[in-house]
Amino acid sequence: MIAAAMLASATAQSAGGGASVAAANAGGALGLYDAQAFALDVKGKGAAPASRQAAWYFRDETIAVPHAGLPLAGFESGVHAFDDVAHWAAARRAGTPIDYPPLVWVAAPQVVRKARLDSDGRHLLTADGALALRYVEKIKLNRSYADASSSAFFAPHDLTLRGTLTPQGFVARSIWPQDFSLGPDAAPARAMAAGDAAQAMRGLMREMPRGGAQSPYAASTIWRRAGSSAAWAGKPVLGLMVNGAQGDDDEAHGGHFAIVTGRVQADGAIGDWLVNNFYSLDVESEKGIIAAPVPLDNYLADLNAGQAWYRPTAMLVAVLDDERAAVLAQSALNRVYQQFYRHQLVYYHPNQNCASISVDTLRALGWNVPARGPSSRILAWLGFPFVAIKDRSIGKAKLAFDYLRTDQTRLLPAAALEEAYASLLALVTGARQPEGDLASMLAIDVSALAFLRFPQFPSSRAWGDAPAVTVWEYRTLVPNDPALMQIVPVPPRPFPDALRDPDLLPPRWTPADWATLAWALVTVVGLPLLLWRWWRRRAARAPNALDLGTGKS
């Protein structure tokens, strides 16, 4: 009866009205947006996204779709994704309102706030009474799940849960500790190591064992502008998030990267910030992940897809006096999603991955995050034929070449965060002059920099660690024997031809494509030519056959 009454209450109250259970779009925020500017689409029933490609990907999910009439992010036809962003940014006028994304993946239709677990972890204790609790079903490919250790971890915290309210109780999709927050009181100042800023950021990510996987949540101020306000409530933020290495997946030691936007709530809450997650659309994730803007609490705490169930997380947060930099970044990322869903931008692990897509967007907007350079150009070229022959695969040789040839800030999330922090610190302190619009905004508008460390949630999964910072470090974490590698095979998700727009350009050639052409020319033309020249020189040095029988001494 309690659950039925609460279900009716949540449905009737469009703004939440103080009830413990509310609709996912009933009041509050979704990043920089008012949540009430969105309508819910629950498994294809409700407001449909304007993008037919996005609607196809999220046909079985719960999403929030902007109301008609709001400025929806568009895209330019017949150009590559980051050319689109650069053209749009150059033409955009100062003060232009924020563009809306094609959708926000809220994952569940209801939200429970300020709840506690009871002693057995089977009920939620809310202001409206006790509510039976069960977890959403585990995805079959997922190797682990919440267990008794998870309940013990969440028990001391006030919780926000996303899920579905039923007459039988609440089916939780995500569980989020509300005291994971940010504010001057929650973020005491700490002295940063003198010297190289990139190395200082690496020290922050690695100062705790296992990258902070088993350490408590922590937030600290690592820089603050002299004379800036200590009151952060309502201030916009632009964050850079790096999830660490997984403990049971040898394809995930490099971690994951995302750009975050939102505002600091009055109580320091950060769960409604928007995380812009890019992930391959062409495979069915073992965690159920689909690339999209996602509320931070769900991005980290979704029982299947949440990154905090797999590894520790670090986030650099720029607290802003003006929202313009965050608005510019979020609006641009919304355009990137439009190109991503329609497959003008295709995920490719070496150089169109979560880090490269994010860094390329920032660079297109005028924040030239410094490049760190490739891991090794020489080894890439010399290793190409070796890998091709050893593995009998041109595809694997191309993949290895692109990994070694890609700028490390576009390949490795930790390297991207280190260089971004060093660049941002130089901008705000005046040590470096801004060279573009976004950098100019940040140089003026950043009032403080904070560092947040999120632990891994205990479960049946192995503990993760800090992310690898170089290709060579990554290599040391992978077993030498391929048979010992832990990899979760995932099925493909082919993009339907009917959803391909006619203006799509073919992908640009990667460095490996040029290497393949070069080595092909060497093999097909160069080697025969060398052999022919060798034979001609040998023939020229040999005695004349007619002279052999003359008897001359």
Side-chain angles (χ1 to χ4, degrees):
M1 292 297 293
I2 292 176
M6 291 177 71
L7 180 59
S9 174
T11 304
Q13 297 181 19
S14 61
S20 299
V21 183
N25 63 334
L30 290 172
L32 296 167
Y33 306 98
D34 183 343
Q36 291 181 275
F38 294 78
L40 290 184
D41 178 10
V42 183
K43 297 185 177 181
K45 297 179 180 179
S51 164
R52 60 196 182 108
Q53 294 93 346
W56 181 77
Y57 280 114
F58 290 91
R59 62 195 182 277
D60 294 324
E61 294 293 335
T62 298
I63 57 177
V65 179
H67 288 310
L70 292 172
L72 187 68
F75 60 87
E76 184 178 351
S77 299
V79 300
H80 292 285
F82 299 106
D83 292 336
D84 174 11
V85 172
H87 298 165
W88 166 83
R92 186 176 182 272
R93 295 181 179 178
T96 300
I98 191 170
D99 287 339
Y100 281 71
L103 60 92
V104 174
W105 185 26
V106 294
Q110 279 98 28
V111 180
V112 178
R113 305 186 192 279
K114 297 182 179 179
R116 285 263 183 161
L117 294 181
D118 69 354
S119 57
D120 64 5
R122 296 180 181 178
H123 293 81
L124 287 177
L125 306 178
T126 77
D128 297 315
L131 191 60
L133 173 68
R134 64 184 179 89
Y135 295 159
V136 71
E137 189 173 333
K138 182 177 81 71
I139 294 175
K140 290 182 180 179
L141 287 175
N142 195 343
R143 290 182 168 184
S144 64
Y145 212 57
D147 58 15
S149 67
S150 311
S151 297
F153 175 84
F154 290 118
H157 301 273
D158 285 339
L159 304 171
T160 293
L161 299 92
R162 294 184 184 271
T164 303
L165 189 60
T166 72
Q168 291 75 41
F170 191 79
V171 182
R173 177 77 183 248
S174 66
I175 309 174
W176 175 252
Q178 290 182 185
D179 54 347
F180 286 14
S181 59
L182 177 67
D185 294 334
R190 60 173 295 167
M192 290 290 287
D196 185 81
Q199 289 294 326
M201 176 54 63
R202 186 176 306 183
L204 278 180
M205 285 192 283
R206 298 186 172 212
E207 68 179 351
M208 294 295 185
R210 297 186 182 273
Q214 294 173 273
S215 305
Y217 170 79
S220 55
T221 307
I222 54 178
W223 179 86
R224 184 174 160 192
R225 193 181 299 275
S228 65
S229 172
W232 290 358
K235 284 198 171 185
V237 298
L238 178 64
L240 304 178
M241 177 182 285
V242 172
N243 311 112
Q246 293 182 201
D248 60 354
D249 187 343
D250 287 315
E251 292 184 310
H253 293 302
H256 197 70
F257 192 93
I259 297 175
V260 184
T261 62
R263 288 186 178 85
V264 181
Q265 298 302 319
D267 60 355
I270 63 176
D272 61 8
W273 293 1
L274 215 54
V275 181
N276 293 279
N277 179 36
F278 290 94
Y279 194 90
S280 177
L281 293 171
D282 295 327
V283 296
E284 297 278 0
S285 165
E286 75 275 16
K287 307 166 191 173
I289 296 172
I290 309 176
V294 186
L296 187 147
D297 57 6
N298 199 70
Y299 176 79
L300 288 177
D302 185 291
L303 282 150
N304 279 296
Q307 298 292 330
W309 291 99
Y310 301 91
R311 44 194 170 185
T313 293
M315 181 160 62
L316 173 66
V317 178
V319 181
L320 306 170
D321 286 327
D322 191 291
E323 68 174 12
R324 57 181 180 163
V327 165
L328 179 64
Q330 186 61 59
S331 296
L333 288 162
N334 296 338
R335 295 185 74 87
V336 176
Y337 279 115
Q338 295 280 31
Q339 298 282 26
F340 197 56
Y341 292 140
R342 74 190 200 103
H343 267 59
Q344 180 57 79
L345 175 63
V346 179
Y347 201 94
Y348 177 54
H349 284 282
N351 61 20
Q352 291 296 351
N353 55 60
C354 56
S356 54
I357 292 172
S358 301
V359 169
D360 287 351
T361 301
L362 297 175
R363 288 173 175 163
L365 295 176
W367 179 12
N368 190 23
V369 177
R372 188 169 285 186
S375 298
S376 176
R377 291 184 178 89
I378 294 175
L379 191 57
W381 280 99
L382 295 180
F384 187 96
F386 173 78
V387 174
I389 294 170
K390 180 177 71 73
D391 292 338
R392 299 180 182 179
S393 171
I394 295 297
K396 290 183 178 180
K398 291 176 67 175
L399 199 65
F401 186 97
D402 278 336
Y403 275 125
L404 290 169
R405 183 65 181 77
T406 298
D407 167 39
Q408 295 171 74
T409 59
R410 301 181 65 247
L411 174 65
L412 295 158
L417 184 63
E418 290 176 5
E419 293 298 336
Y421 169 64
S423 172
L424 189 55
L425 189 63
L427 288 171
V428 299
T429 58
R432 175 186 174 191
Q433 293 303 306
E435 299 174 355
D437 286 348
L438 181 56
S440 297
M441 294 175 187
L442 293 170
I444 297 170
D445 296 343
V446 174
S447 62
L449 297 175
F451 181 78
L452 280 57
R453 182 186 296 106
F454 301 87
Q456 180 177 338
F457 296 158
S459 70
S460 62
R461 185 172 288 270
W463 292 107
D465 208 333
V469 183
T470 67
V471 168
W472 318 119
E473 181 185 6
Y474 189 107
R475 186 65 190 87
T476 65
L477 300 172
V478 177
N480 291 323
D481 184 354
L484 298 178
M485 289 187 64
Q486 297 185 76
I487 296 176
V488 182
V490 292
R493 178 169 46 203
F495 187 57
D497 288 338
L499 293 179
R500 292 186 181 275
D501 294 331
D503 68 284
L504 294 181
L505 299 178
R508 288 190 171 109
W509 273 30
T510 72
D513 291 321
W514 293 105
T516 304
L517 177 61
W519 278 109
L521 291 173
V522 168
T523 304
V524 175
V525 179
L527 286 179
L529 180 62
L530 288 173
L531 288 172
W532 179 78
R533 293 182 64 182
W534 171 80
W535 181 83
R536 288 292 302 268
R537 288 196 298 268
R538 185 175 183 277
R541 290 196 300 268
N544 191 302
L546 295 176
D547 293 340
L548 294 178
T550 61
K552 292 181 180 179
S553 61

